[in-house]
Amino acid sequence: MSKPINMRRCVVCRQVRHKSELVRVVKNPSGDILLDEAGKIFGRGAYVCKSPTCAAILRKRHNLDKVFKTKLPNELYEKICAAVDVKEKIQM
């Protein structure tokens, strides 16, 4: 038997992609919100595409504030953009 394919949905574009094509942000049980580069941290996770467009829109709209129901610092959004390597700013 083969392993199941791990598919997750991006919180920005809502497309379902393979887990390896996404960046995971997790809220652990103590309430800390972290960028989970390894995908192994225990807690509630949200996924963002590794595309610069999705990361830039995430930074502009603050989608993770809605997902985790709390105000997140801009530094976290900057870390996500750095992980995705966003060079340009998207105007909407």
Side-chain angles (χ1 to χ4, degrees):
M1 287 178 48
S2 63
K3 291 178 115 180
I5 300 171
N6 294 322
M7 304 295 279
R8 301 291 186 265
R9 185 178 306 270
C10 174
V11 297
V12 177
C13 67
R14 309 297 294 163
Q15 288 189 358
V16 177
R17 298 178 184 263
H18 192 271
K19 192 175 170 181
S20 65
E21 298 174 11
L22 302 164
V23 175
R24 183 172 189 244
V25 181
V26 65
K27 181 177 183 180
N28 63 17
S30 64
D32 299 327
I33 299 175
L34 311 162
L35 182 63
D36 185 11
E37 295 173 4
K40 303 292 182 184
I41 298 174
F42 180 75
R44 166 85 166 96
Y47 294 85
V48 180
C49 293
K50 288 184 180 177
S51 76
T53 305
C54 279
I57 292 171
L58 177 79
R59 180 173 44 189
K60 181 177 173 93
R61 292 185 187 164
H62 289 255
N63 291 52
L64 293 176
D65 291 358
K66 297 170 192 163
V67 171
F68 294 122
K69 297 178 182 155
T70 186
K71 176 75 174 136
L72 300 179
N74 286 331
E75 292 82 31
L76 180 65
Y77 288 103
E78 294 302 322
K79 284 182 186 177
I80 294 167
C81 289
V84 174
D85 194 29
V86 174
K87 293 180 176 65
E88 77 277 355
K89 296 198 178 220
I90 303 292
Q91 298 296 326
M92 296 186 85

